[in-house]
Amino acid sequence: MLLTALATAFPDGRHTIERLTPGGTGEALLYRRFTGTAFPGVVTAGARVDFAGTGLFAAGSGAFTAQRHVDDLRALTGQPRPDHTGS
């Protein structure tokens, strides 16, 4: 649900993998960052957002079996702010 909302509100949104670390047996911890510009027509159109998140993925029998994630939505709620830098 969060990914759909982000894709709708920030059409140029980009998820960047910052680090992927093996966890326990069949697990990996993913550190990522999301950046994007608010969609035109939104109250905060043109505003930039930037926040981090982590995900724990478990795999078995050649497929993902579970995913848990935590996003720094507190940082997101302090955003978006209009980008007045001209970029």
Side-chain angles (χ1 to χ4, degrees):
M1 203 159 94
L2 176 62
L3 294 178
T4 300
L6 289 173
T8 300
F10 306 99
D12 69 343
R14 181 181 186 113
H15 293 271
T16 304
I17 297 172
E18 295 186 333
R19 185 173 61 203
L20 181 61
T21 305
T25 302
E27 293 181 337
L29 186 59
L30 175 72
Y31 296 88
R32 66 187 183 292
R33 179 162 296 283
F34 179 85
T35 56
T37 308
F39 186 80
V42 176
V43 173
T44 55
R48 302 273 309 150
V49 296
D50 182 339
F51 67 95
T54 58
L56 177 63
F57 295 86
S61 301
F64 288 115
T65 57
Q67 174 193 0
R68 294 171 187 86
H69 64 90
V70 176
D71 293 295
D72 188 0
L73 297 180
R74 191 166 191 188
L76 180 60
T77 60
Q79 302 175 50
R81 293 179 292 277
D83 181 4
H84 297 292
T85 63
S87 55

